Amino acid sequence: MKLGELLEQLLADDSVRRIQVEKEVEVTALVYDSRKAVPPGSAFFCISGAVYDGHQYAEEASLAGASVIVAERELSLPAGVTLVLVEDTRKALAYMSAAWFGYPAKELITIGITGTKGKTTTAYMVHHILESVGMKVGLIGTVEVRDGAETVSASHTTPESYLVQEYFRKMADNGCRAVVMEVSSQALKLSRVAGITFDYGIFTNLEPDHIGANEHADFEEYAACKARLFQQCRYGILNADDPHMERMLREHTCEVMTYGCNEGVDLRAEEIDLHRTDGKLMVSYQTKGALEAKFSVPIPGMFSVYNSLTAVAICMRQNVPVEVMQRALLEVRVKGRLETVEVSPNFSVMIDYAHNAMSLKSLLMALKEYEPKRLVCLFGCGGNRSRSRRFEMGEISSRYADVTIVTSDNPRFEEPEAIIEDILTGVKKADGAYVTITDRKEAIRYALVHAEKDDVIVLAGKGHEDYQEIRGVKYPMDDRILIREILEELTDEERVNLGI
């Protein structure tokens, strides 16, 4: 592709400061990672990261065969190499990647979801409803990427802009009509979705998170990054019950629809009913305003009211019949996000990704609303990570759960017992009962065998993960498989006791 074609959107945006040497050079590839091979004739992007500065590798990339260097500052390059000076190389990568793949976003209905919590669950709900009406839909999120032909595990909530555009291209070519994607604050800050005008921008909620070194300087920057989505979408759907909604709309350029549980919103949930059905924790509600219908979701808590309301609002805009939305929401399952595992009608077992104090507290408070006989929380903490997180999670579990089972998560290069001791420091600050069992399978076995009628058991921390990392090696381990193995190994007496 000619360099001039790749630069069209950037030039229209006044983002190119200067082009040195010939603009009509042929570009064979786009390279943005200094660790990757640089093919002859490629364009190399000097990305400034938290650890490495790509400008340091510009000369090396040129000598390897790059014919174009995209940079934010003047560089001394070999003769014949074109230098493109831009304000922001990440933004340039996003715009030029879109051109490289033929602007695939224009061929899709694009739905971007941002917020502190609820992005993953909402994305799966929307994806499931739209596919239930016969629409082929792509997905980009924290757990996985679905391009219409295959599913791959995700490494980031929102991948680098080149990958976003590559996924869009595959989705369009594979017959997808729409894509639902999680849009993180880091993605908005680092221009991973720059140049995309989303058909729908979604705001779930906002709480202090991702603030610190290499993330966001403060809460205001975090909020400002989230708000950028509503400056690059056609239609915004926002949670009006969140106190930060107005901050999201401060500089918005989109048409707006609101949802929530309070008066004055466009789509409102009323008559909310939290209930159990055969060991499943359910939530049902009636919508008023833009749509009048009743919905039930097999994912517990008020989270599910808001997440499903978002999905309903989006799918209304796509003219999905009410009965299809109702049926799809009854079927929806989100791996590792308040995921119900059917064990016994006498008690409930959930798997959730909650792996910090804030998410664990929200999880336990939501489950307590179902008034279980006992709330049992099983979790561990990752090795080579913040010790303060261990103290905090231990205290939260002991304070809000009736029983805490402390076990192993991903110990990495630490001893599991040392991590458990840190967690117990927090556990002992509150008055909940607790037990420690290092082996995760044995810990889950203990939770199930000692379950009592109307208990709620939550296995926290691993969520969708299907491995355990020990000393640099990832071993297969999935809480769902562990539960299945345990149930197969139960004695007849244990089965009777558990009501299986």
Side-chain angles (χ1 to χ4, degrees):
M1 182 178 283
K2 297 292 186 183
L3 177 59
E5 296 175 274
L6 289 170
L7 291 175
E8 282 180 359
Q9 195 176 8
L10 273 176
L11 289 168
D13 195 60
D14 296 326
S15 295
V16 177
R17 299 206 309 266
R18 187 166 67 81
I19 303 173
Q20 175 184 309
V21 191
E22 178 56 47
K23 190 169 75 172
E24 289 308 308
V25 65
E26 188 75 24
V27 176
T28 61
L30 307 185
V31 180
Y32 58 92
D33 188 338
S34 59
R35 297 167 296 183
K36 301 290 179 65
V38 181
S42 60
F44 179 78
F45 293 78
C46 300
I47 304 294
S48 300
V51 179
Y52 300 105
D53 183 353
H55 292 81
Q56 298 173 350
Y57 303 95
E59 183 177 3
E60 182 181 327
S62 300
L63 294 174
S67 58
V68 177
I69 300 294
V70 183
E72 296 171 357
R73 60 175 183 263
E74 295 283 356
L75 295 169
S76 177
L77 300 174
V81 177
T82 296
L83 175 65
V84 179
L85 279 179
V86 297
E87 296 292 337
D88 183 345
T89 50
R90 289 187 179 275
K91 181 178 179 181
L93 175 63
Y95 279 39
M96 292 172 71
S97 295
W100 180 261
F101 289 105
Y103 300 103
K106 294 180 180 179
E107 303 171 39
L108 300 163
I109 299 166
T110 48
I111 303 166
I113 303 171
T114 199
T116 304
K117 295 182 295 190
K119 296 187 296 296
T120 300
T121 300
T122 301
Y124 275 90
M125 287 178 170
V126 175
H127 184 276
H128 187 62
I129 294 172
L130 292 180
E131 289 221 320
S132 296
V133 80
M135 184 184 294
K136 197 170 187 179
V137 184
L139 175 73
I140 300 177
T142 303
V143 178
E144 61 193 7
V145 176
R146 300 180 182 180
D147 67 11
E150 63 178 356
T151 299
V152 297
S153 296
S155 56
H156 293 85
T157 298
T158 312
E160 189 52 81
S161 58
Y162 180 92
L163 290 175
V164 169
Q165 296 296 337
E166 183 177 34
Y167 290 141
F168 281 4
R169 179 74 274 152
K170 289 180 180 178
M171 291 172 189
D173 291 348
N174 290 334
C176 290
R177 289 176 52 201
V179 55
V180 187
M181 67 179 293
E182 299 178 48
V183 183
S184 67
S185 58
Q186 283 289 296
L188 290 157
K189 177 180 179 178
L190 300 178
S191 300
R192 292 177 187 164
V193 292
I196 301 171
T197 300
F198 288 92
D199 292 293
Y200 299 96
I202 313 302
F203 169 66
T204 60
N205 52 65
L206 194 69
E207 294 181 16
D209 197 12
H210 301 292
I211 297 168
N214 302 328
E215 292 194 274
H216 297 285
D218 50 34
F219 183 73
E220 174 53 33
E221 182 192 289
Y222 178 52
C225 288
K226 293 284 190 188
R228 290 178 190 175
L229 181 60
F230 303 98
Q231 298 161 38
Q232 60 180 92
C233 71
R234 296 183 177 88
Y235 197 85
I237 299 175
L238 297 93
N239 175 7
D241 290 353
D242 188 277
H244 303 289
M245 187 195 74
E246 292 302 325
R247 175 65 187 84
M248 294 297 103
L249 293 175
R250 192 175 293 173
E251 298 177 53
H252 79 282
T253 57
C254 58
E255 186 180 347
V256 173
M257 178 181 183
T258 59
Y259 67 91
C261 300
N262 296 315
E263 295 290 337
V265 299
D266 297 311
L267 181 66
R268 186 173 70 256
E270 294 184 351
E271 302 172 29
I272 298 166
D273 178 29
L274 307 178
H275 59 280
R276 298 187 190 205
T277 302
D278 295 328
K280 294 180 181 178
L281 305 185
M282 307 281 295
V283 60
S284 300
Y285 59 89
Q286 174 77 36
T287 58
K288 294 292 179 69
L291 176 70
E292 296 204 6
K294 185 167 184 177
F295 296 94
S296 293
V297 186
I299 304 175
M302 286 299 296
F303 310 124
S304 293
V305 174
Y306 286 102
N307 294 337
S308 56
L309 268 179
T310 311
V312 168
I314 295 168
C315 294
M316 280 174 52
R317 296 285 299 184
Q318 289 298 307
N319 298 313
V320 176
V322 171
E323 59 271 20
V324 173
M325 290 191 280
Q326 290 170 324
R327 185 171 61 252
L329 285 175
L330 263 177
E331 299 167 347
V332 75
R333 172 179 174 272
V334 184
K335 189 175 182 180
R337 299 304 194 275
L338 280 169
E339 176 187 356
T340 297
V341 181
E342 293 187 31
V343 174
S344 167
N346 292 338
F347 57 89
S348 305
V349 179
M350 318 288 300
I351 294 176
D352 194 82
Y353 188 52
H355 60 289
N356 59 41
M358 180 178 70
S359 57
L360 186 64
K361 180 179 178 181
S362 296
L363 169 66
L364 296 178
M365 289 181 69
L367 296 178
K368 284 180 76 69
E369 291 187 72
Y370 287 82
E371 299 181 352
K373 179 177 181 181
R374 297 184 310 165
L375 178 55
V376 180
C377 178
L378 180 152
F379 77 100
C381 288
N384 304 105
R385 297 293 188 269
S386 168
R387 290 184 69 200
S388 63
R389 175 180 290 187
R390 303 170 191 176
F391 307 147
E392 293 165 357
M393 290 185 69
E395 183 174 358
I396 289 294
S397 183
S398 186
R399 192 172 303 282
Y400 292 95
D402 298 293
V403 179
T404 297
I405 302 175
V406 186
T407 187
S408 188
D409 194 300
N410 292 322
R412 299 187 176 89
F413 290 92
E414 287 192 69
E415 292 300 324
E417 291 77 11
I419 299 172
I420 288 173
E421 283 302 314
D422 282 344
I423 297 171
L424 290 180
T425 300
V427 168
K428 293 172 183 176
K429 290 183 178 179
D431 56 5
Y434 67 91
V435 62
T436 65
I437 303 172
T438 303
D439 182 273
R440 193 173 183 93
K441 181 176 179 179
E442 289 305 313
I444 296 173
R445 183 193 305 277
Y446 178 91
L448 298 183
V449 170
H450 290 84
E452 299 179 12
K453 185 172 174 55
D454 294 330
D455 278 357
V456 172
I457 300 169
V458 60
L459 314 182
K462 297 296 291 178
H464 60 276
E465 291 181 354
D466 58 4
Y467 64 86
Q468 185 174 50
E469 186 177 345
I470 302 172
R471 301 207 170 277
V473 180
K474 289 185 177 180
Y475 297 92
M477 191 185 76
D478 186 316
D479 283 349
R480 297 152 204 78
I481 294 175
L482 295 181
I483 291 172
R484 188 164 65 243
E485 291 174 351
I486 291 164
L487 294 179
E488 291 172 354
E489 296 164 3
L490 291 176
T491 65
D492 290 340
E493 182 181 355
E494 288 171 330
R495 288 176 178 277
V496 171
N497 290 339
L498 296 181
I500 299 176

